[in-house]
Amino acid sequence: MARPRKPLLSRDRIVTAALALVDAEGLAAVSTRRLAAELGVSGPSLYNHFRTKDEILDAVADTVVGQVDLSMFATADGDRPDWPEALLAWGRSYRAALTAHPNIVPFLAQGPGRRPAGLRQADAVFGGMVEAGWPPAHATRIGAMMRYFVAGSALGSFARGFVGDPGVYDPADYPHLGQAHLLPEHQRRVDEGAFEAGLRALVDGLALQYQRLRDGEPVT
Amino acid sequence: MARPRKPLLSRDRIVTAALALVDAEGLAAVSTRRLAAELGVSGPSLYNHFRTKDEILDAVADTVVGQVDLSMFATADGDRPDWPEALLAWGRSYRAALTAHPNIVPFLAQGPGRRPAGLRQADAVFGGMVEAGWPPAHATRIGAMMRYFVAGSALGSFARGFVGDPGVYDPADYPHLGQAHLLPEHQRRVDEGAFEAGLRALVDGLALQYQRLRDGEPVT
DNA sequence: ACCTGAACACCGTTCAAGT
DNA sequence: ACCTGAACACCGTTCAAGT
């Protein structure tokens, strides 16, 4: 075939196919040869559009993070934004974007923040918190801790870890896990409940800290 | 050589060598051939002791999680344990265990909770929280949310993501990231500060919830 | 039981060759 | 510029063969 007059591939087509493959069959299913086959080309063709496989996955990760809603940090001028509400809304949107594509999360979570969508997100959160009255050092920390929590919650399902077999949980070994084998069926409920409760606890705790800051008390 | 009179390998030796290799050269450096070479045997030998490579990494992950201190949940009978202090101490020990071996964290964080050390940990936390007066459903959630936060914090360094090159952060794109290129040098400080602040916020928020529970107020 | 080399079906990536 | 097949140096895993 050699070079066609109209390119068969584009970065966009590759990223779309890669995301579909990750979603359908997992991160391990994405090999350059397999992905190329999915696109009807041969393996090395991809290297005309991306320098490495990791660069492809970076682009996939970026489109996923790009789905996160950041509008809650863009407030009308002069308004003090309601930062606790903004954090809650952002946290939920962030988690929703990741859990929509759970198989890419392990790659996404370790990867560098160099990806544009991640930077835009860090920028928006930082700006929103500073505008709300948080000192810059605190604003940085808030962005980081939220990322920790959301990424951790999307990464390893807590409940998914427990298998359905009661025999695994010998009460002699694990005195409190007697009902643990029931967890898989409640999996999503447990994970979502834990996320929601943790998100609220985090924001409530930050509100306490904010209050102490306002009152001029020393804060660590 | 064939079979030696004294086995050359053992599960322990393999796990120790694998952890050393992961620490020294990263997760990607661990191939069965490379690991076997490190142990002075040929690749397939490992399959006499583990069924798959993932099983080896599971064992590595388990020894890392096994380093977490859980003693704060074992209280003298009759005592109501100081659960906020216990969560703080556990969270710090948990994070310390993971950050001591950062390269295994991506594997560890996604993997199943089937690993014994992870189960022991879930059991201890659940037991400790229930003993402190938390309803079982809440105790489960607390274990999960703490895991989210700690795993997330050990997994992707927030600060590490920012590269040292100021040119990357065009103020037109990221109006608030002007100083972001300074972050790498403060990397550990930022990550540890965010972890510590987040941990306190989380526990503070839980204390509020606990108070509401005691007062008989409805809690989501 | 526990090690070996050979073999199978894969990888990511490079490169010269084609248009 | 953009695709191809061939090639390189790898993978994880299976298996028959050795003691």
Side-chain angles (χ1 to χ4, degrees):
Chain A
M1 183 177 298
R3 171 161 122 91
R5 41 185 54 203
K6 201 163 188 276
L8 297 174
L9 295 177
S10 68
R11 289 176 65 97
D12 246 25
R13 279 201 66 215
I14 294 170
V15 169
T16 303
L19 180 54
L21 188 54
V22 167
D23 283 346
E25 306 190 30
L27 200 54
V30 183
S31 73
T32 55
R33 284 170 168 88
R34 174 70 198 280
L35 176 56
E38 216 76 36
L39 287 159
V41 299
S42 86
S45 304
L46 302 175
Y47 289 85
N48 286 297
H49 303 268
F50 289 95
R51 269 196 318 236
T52 63
K53 177 187 165 179
D54 264 26
E55 225 176 58
I56 299 176
L57 291 177
D58 267 328
V60 170
D62 205 54
T63 71
V64 170
V65 175
Q67 300 302 308
V68 180
D69 181 15
L70 299 173
S71 63
M72 64 288 288
F73 296 116
T75 51
D77 302 270
D79 283 18
R80 278 250 156 158
D82 184 346
W83 66 265
E85 277 307 319
L87 284 184
L88 290 171
W90 170 52
R92 288 172 188 136
S93 172
Y94 193 1
R95 176 175 151 90
L98 300 193
T99 53
H101 306 281
N103 296 333
I104 193 69
V105 176
F107 178 87
L108 180 153
Q110 41 177 319
R114 260 157 270 192
R115 293 183 286 254
L119 290 175
R120 258 193 305 277
Q121 177 169 255
D123 184 68
V125 177
F126 181 84
M129 292 305 106
V130 167
E131 203 172 344
W134 282 99
H138 289 253
T140 302
R141 280 208 274 267
I142 291 172
M145 75 178 68
M146 288 286 291
R147 193 182 104 114
Y148 296 160
F149 183 66
V150 173
S153 88
L155 182 69
S157 161
F158 180 80
R160 206 189 316 155
F162 295 91
V163 283
D165 177 5
V168 176
Y169 307 102
D170 187 328
D173 294 338
Y174 315 113
H176 308 294
L177 295 184
Q179 303 301 318
H181 62 95
L182 297 176
L183 278 176
E185 49 190 87
H186 305 309
Q187 187 190 111
R188 205 183 312 177
R189 209 174 328 170
V190 169
D191 279 320
E192 271 172 16
F195 171 76
E196 194 58 35
L199 180 64
R200 287 181 174 283
L202 210 45
V203 172
D204 283 352
L206 285 173
L208 281 179
Q209 218 190 339
Y210 188 83
Q211 198 53 51
R212 282 197 287 266
L213 263 177
R214 296 283 112 179
D215 298 347
E217 282 178 43
V219 185
T220 20
Chain B
M1 183 179 296
R3 172 161 121 91
R5 42 185 52 203
K6 202 163 186 276
L8 296 174
L9 294 178
S10 68
R11 289 176 65 97
D12 247 25
R13 279 202 65 217
I14 294 171
V15 169
T16 303
L19 180 54
L21 189 53
V22 167
D23 284 345
E25 305 190 29
L27 200 54
V30 183
S31 74
T32 55
R33 284 171 168 88
R34 173 70 197 281
L35 176 56
E38 216 77 35
L39 287 158
V41 299
S42 86
S45 304
L46 301 174
Y47 290 85
N48 286 299
H49 302 270
F50 289 94
R51 269 197 318 236
T52 63
K53 177 187 165 180
D54 264 24
E55 225 176 58
I56 299 177
L57 291 177
D58 267 328
V60 170
D62 205 53
T63 70
V64 170
V65 176
Q67 300 302 307
V68 181
D69 181 15
L70 299 173
S71 63
M72 64 288 289
F73 297 114
T75 50
D77 302 271
D79 283 17
R80 279 250 157 157
D82 184 346
W83 66 265
E85 277 307 320
L87 283 185
L88 290 172
W90 170 54
R92 289 173 187 135
S93 172
Y94 192 1
R95 176 175 151 90
L98 300 194
T99 53
H101 306 280
N103 296 333
I104 193 69
V105 175
F107 179 87
L108 180 153
Q110 41 177 320
R114 260 157 267 193
R115 294 184 285 254
L119 290 175
R120 257 193 305 277
Q121 178 168 255
D123 185 69
V125 177
F126 181 84
M129 293 305 107
V130 167
E131 203 172 344
W134 282 99
H138 289 254
T140 302
R141 279 207 274 265
I142 291 171
M145 74 178 69
M146 288 286 291
R147 192 181 104 113
Y148 297 160
F149 184 67
V150 173
S153 87
L155 181 69
S157 161
F158 179 81
R160 208 187 317 154
F162 295 91
V163 283
D165 178 5
V168 177
Y169 307 104
D170 186 328
D173 294 339
Y174 315 112
H176 308 295
L177 294 184
Q179 302 301 316
H181 67 279
L182 297 175
L183 278 175
E185 49 189 84
H186 304 310
Q187 187 189 111
R188 206 184 309 178
R189 209 175 327 168
V190 169
D191 279 321
E192 271 170 17
F195 171 76
E196 194 59 35
L199 180 63
R200 287 183 173 283
L202 210 45
V203 173
D204 283 352
L206 285 173
L208 281 179
Q209 218 190 338
Y210 188 84
Q211 199 52 50
R212 284 196 286 265
L213 262 176
R214 297 281 110 181
D215 298 346
E217 282 179 45
V219 186
T220 21

